[in-house]
Amino acid sequence: MHRSTAPRLARLLACAAVPVMLVAGCSDSDGGEKKSSATPSASAPAKPSATPTVSAGKYAKIPDLCKALSAKTVEKLVPKAKKKDGELLTGSCFWNGLDSEDTDDQQFRSVNLHIMALSGDPNLGSADKRAQAYAEQQVKKATTEDDPKDVKTTKTGGIGDWATTVTTKTKKTVDFSNVTVVTRTANVVVALKYSGAGYEGAKAPDAADLTKDAQAAAKEAVASVAAANKK
């Protein structure tokens, strides 16, 4: 055998012994073995889809519920409140009292102030969107609880980013007039219910006066949300 062909023959014999699937990695050229471009490269792993993110909301916290209204406002709304500092309930603060100094004009008043902050959720929407949905739920609640009559719902401007006032009449031991103001400021919902009644035959409170006072108090509560988040 010619001396120059021996190395080439040896390489060919070596390749013949390699399994078929790997033959592409061999070459019979004098330049030696080459890596085949035919060898499939491993495909790059798929990147995991990014988790949707949403804003936490403009306001991270709410004020102390029983301090969201000033003492002066509480005194005006509930002149003879049993607890001037309010009674902290689950998610709200409550004031009530009966002014019976004038036996011919005994007047009962109560205020329930509820404030809720909503955060964004990838599946449920932005903080503001969730707050709007919650506000609308509070309006519906105000129009249905305690078997109300003479229900009126009015869109209200000048309080937060969105507001609705609900007026109703309900019957307990006496006839009650109720005003609920539901308002949204960014991602926070304020629901303030103001109720009044005349006892022992006293004249029922004027609905327009109750509404005016409830709306003013709701506006004050909205301002307290902004103030709480500046601290």
Side-chain angles (χ1 to χ4, degrees), residues 45-177:
K47 294 182 179 180
S49 58
T51 302
T53 58
V54 291
S55 171
K58 180 178 180 179
Y59 298 121
K61 54 186 177 181
I62 62 173
D64 184 328
L65 290 172
C66 291
K67 293 181 180 179
L69 299 179
S70 68
K72 182 179 179 180
T73 296
V74 172
E75 175 65 24
K76 181 178 181 179
L77 298 178
V78 189
K80 296 294 181 180
K82 292 179 180 179
K83 295 182 178 180
K84 294 186 181 297
D85 293 333
E87 179 181 358
L88 187 61
L89 306 177
T90 302
S92 67
C93 190
F94 181 70
W95 296 263
N96 73 320
L98 176 66
D99 184 353
S100 58
E101 288 186 3
D102 184 345
T103 56
D104 293 326
D105 188 23
Q106 299 187 48
Q107 294 290 323
F108 175 85
R109 299 288 187 274
S110 69
V111 172
N112 186 282
L113 177 63
H114 171 69
I115 303 178
M116 172 73 78
L118 285 296
S119 60
D121 185 286
N123 299 315
L124 300 177
S126 68
D128 286 11
K129 180 180 178 181
R130 293 188 67 210
Q132 183 63 38
Y134 184 73
E136 291 169 5
Q137 290 175 7
Q138 294 300 303
V139 170
K140 184 176 181 180
K141 177 182 176 183
T143 63
T144 57
E145 67 180 354
D146 296 329
D147 191 24
K149 297 179 180 179
D150 299 332
V151 179
K152 296 179 181 179
T153 303
T154 308
K155 298 297 182 182
T156 308
I159 308 176
D161 298 315
W162 176 95
T164 294
T165 300
V166 180
T167 59
T168 66
K169 292 187 182 298
T170 52
K171 179 74 173 180
K172 296 182 180 178
T173 53
V174 294
D175 292 326
F176 277 76
S177 293

